[in-house]
Amino acid sequence: MSEAVAGTADRWLALLAGRNTWQDAERDVDPVTRALALVQTVTIAGAVASVLLVATHRPSDSSDGWFTSPVIVLVAMTPAMLVGPIRTALGHASASRSATVNVLCRSALGILVSAAVFALAPHWWAALSWPIGLALGCDAALAATAIGWHPKPIQWWTSIVLSPFHLGVIGGLAGSSLARSQTSVLSTVLPIYGTLHIWLLIACAAAYASERILDRQQVLVEGTRSDTIRNEHRRSAHWLHDDICAQLRLVTLKVQGGHLTVDQVGGLLDELDFTLRLRQLDELIESGSVRLAEVLQPFLRNAQNAGVLVERVPSYDIASTEVDHDTGTTFRRAAAVITSNALNAGATKLSFEIAVHEEHIDLVVIDDAGGFDPSDITAGRGLWSLRHELGPDNLHIERHDTGSRVRAAVPRKQMLEHSWHT
């Protein structure tokens, strides 16, 4: 029993520390969390505005004004209460201080704000601060989700009612009723006790509703992830069956028919190898990022299988540059078109160069296929399409003594510099 009580106490302290203590700062803030943070922001602002209006307009014989201590405390503490929800609502995830520091700071903040509320809105006027319960419920649900705790509303209520803090409040009320007249207790302490319970009821209801929304979102995310994995496996299975198995079967039939030489069989296998490498490259690009060397590798290997001498390749540092999905896709397209054009023109030697710039990446392919006039590029062919895809100023073709030098400037969106060891 003691271990269970200690575990419950630890969870309540974890809730008091807040979501920012436990969240992963590397993960993006999901839309539901941002929406709940926005609710927190609105309800806190609404509660503070309600209390200040009550303090200004309620009937009173005292000389309360805008420069009393409770007003100063409440106005000063409001930004501290709003900064976390506002950052979360804007999608900014950041690691917070240690749990101990957060527990102390948030406890002090709660005590000061509660004291200011009850000072500015005495008696049952304090019940107008009920939106605080909504803010507390959203905050508790977000923190509970971050630590993986999902208690039921009745468990929340029972835990709080039977907590030492609540029992101490009841003891304080009983002591006050013995030390003072019953009328004094009913008019001063009981409204505070009732308002706290209003906050508690609304907080439990808000936490329950928020957790249902968060759980529903988690189910949808898991369902989407499962569907994506299942569809990817099915896509891979169909690709293996329709492409690879079909090509293997074709090679088998031709070999069995006795109409192929060893070199021809080797050529078919090289084509299959090239297809597999392109498939691997597509998967790497779809993962979100790819290294330039990984993009060039299938085309270098295909040229070598075709008997072409590769005289020069990019340096290790340049080749290990990592680019994003869109840049990798365009770079792949440029490498495929330029290399294929050189091989079809009868090149026997190829050289590859890469230059990384701030706004683009230059891919240069030099061949010895005799060269051609750029004005002779046929509309609709590979180089013509690549020129229109990159822009006319981003594809340059120059003739030299034995062939052509083609430079494609591939625009980039973002770039990550990594070595092969990362």
Side-chain angles (χ1 to χ4, degrees):
M1 176 63 72
S2 60
E3 292 181 358
V5 173
T8 302
D10 289 341
R11 285 193 291 266
W12 284 114
L13 288 175
L15 289 184
L16 185 57
R19 173 180 179 272
N20 289 342
T21 304
W22 316 112
Q23 70 179 355
D24 184 1
E26 300 298 327
R27 297 183 60 181
D28 294 333
V29 182
D30 59 81
V32 173
T33 298
R34 295 178 64 178
L36 292 179
L38 181 60
V39 172
Q40 279 185 269
T41 303
V42 173
T43 51
I44 291 174
V48 171
S50 299
V51 171
L52 292 177
L53 287 175
V54 169
T56 305
H57 298 290
R58 67 179 171 83
S60 176
D61 296 332
S62 62
S63 58
D64 292 344
W66 281 97
F67 298 101
T68 60
S69 296
V71 172
I72 295 174
V73 170
L74 186 60
V75 172
M77 293 297 102
T78 299
M81 292 188 292
L82 292 177
V83 62
I86 289 177
R87 283 183 55 82
T88 303
L90 294 177
H92 300 300
S94 58
S96 186
R97 295 179 294 272
S98 66
T100 302
V101 174
N102 271 4
V103 167
L104 294 176
C105 292
R106 284 162 62 94
S107 298
L109 180 64
I111 293 172
L112 289 173
V113 171
S114 300
V117 167
F118 293 125
L120 295 172
H123 307 297
W124 289 105
W125 289 101
L128 293 177
S129 64
W130 63 267
I132 291 179
L134 282 176
L136 293 175
C138 294
D139 184 81
L142 291 174
T145 302
I147 64 176
W149 185 31
H150 301 280
K152 304 299 182 181
I154 296 179
Q155 292 176 334
W156 285 66
W157 175 266
T158 303
S159 298
I160 296 175
V161 169
L162 297 180
S163 66
F165 173 77
H166 182 256
L167 296 178
V169 171
I170 295 178
L173 289 175
S176 298
S177 63
L178 294 176
R180 302 180 181 181
S181 64
Q182 184 177 5
T183 303
S184 176
V185 174
L186 292 177
S187 62
T188 57
V189 182
L190 187 58
I192 297 176
Y193 179 76
T195 300
L196 290 175
H197 269 272
I198 291 175
W199 291 359
L200 177 59
L201 285 170
I202 296 176
C204 289
Y208 173 72
S210 300
E211 282 194 321
R212 292 293 299 270
I213 296 173
L214 290 168
D215 288 343
R216 177 61 177 169
Q217 181 204 29
Q218 186 64 27
V219 170
L220 292 176
V221 170
E222 292 296 334
T224 302
R225 183 182 295 111
S226 298
D227 290 341
T228 301
I229 294 174
R230 181 171 59 253
N231 292 335
E232 181 62 24
H233 284 309
R234 293 180 64 86
R235 185 169 69 92
S236 299
H238 283 296
W239 175 77
L240 287 172
H241 177 270
D242 297 338
D243 291 349
I244 302 304
C245 293
Q247 292 188 38
L248 286 174
R249 181 60 178 168
L250 177 62
V251 173
T252 301
L253 292 175
K254 288 184 176 182
V255 171
Q256 290 176 344
H259 303 300
L260 295 179
T261 64
V262 174
D263 291 338
Q264 290 175 325
V265 172
L268 291 175
L269 293 178
D270 288 338
E271 292 179 5
L272 180 59
D273 175 78
F274 184 53
T275 301
L276 288 172
R277 292 178 184 275
L278 290 180
R279 171 70 177 191
Q280 180 189 29
L281 174 58
D282 290 338
E283 294 297 327
L284 289 172
I285 294 176
E286 289 301 320
S287 70
S289 63
V290 64
R291 291 184 173 90
L292 297 179
E294 293 171 329
V295 179
L296 280 183
Q297 196 270 345
F299 304 104
L300 290 174
R301 182 64 179 269
N302 184 52
Q304 291 173 336
N305 288 338
V308 175
L309 175 63
V310 178
E311 293 185 318
R312 187 165 61 252
V313 295
S315 66
Y316 174 87
D317 291 336
I318 295 296
S320 61
T321 301
E322 189 173 356
V323 297
D324 63 281
H325 172 275
D326 293 339
T327 305
T329 300
T330 307
F331 193 86
R332 177 196 189 281
R333 165 74 173 158
V337 171
I338 298 174
T339 305
S340 175
N341 181 76
L343 295 179
N344 292 334
T348 59
K349 297 179 181 179
L350 287 179
S351 295
F352 293 85
E353 299 175 359
I354 294 177
V356 178
H357 303 282
E358 183 177 355
E359 296 182 354
H360 66 276
I361 301 173
D362 285 337
L363 170 64
V364 178
V365 179
I366 304 173
D367 64 60
D368 64 344
F372 63 97
D373 190 341
S375 61
D376 294 336
I377 297 177
T378 305
R381 300 296 292 271
L383 286 175
W384 182 90
S385 300
L386 182 62
R387 169 171 285 173
H388 283 73
E389 182 177 344
L390 297 178
D393 295 333
N394 291 327
L395 183 66
H396 300 272
I397 302 174
E398 302 175 1
R399 300 187 65 172
H400 59 81
D401 294 340
T402 59
S404 301
R405 182 181 187 272
V406 182
R407 180 175 67 86
V410 178
R412 73 179 195 179
K413 292 187 177 180
Q414 63 184 34
M415 178 88 52
L416 300 175
E417 299 291 344
H418 289 292
S419 69
W420 284 104
H421 302 290
T422 58

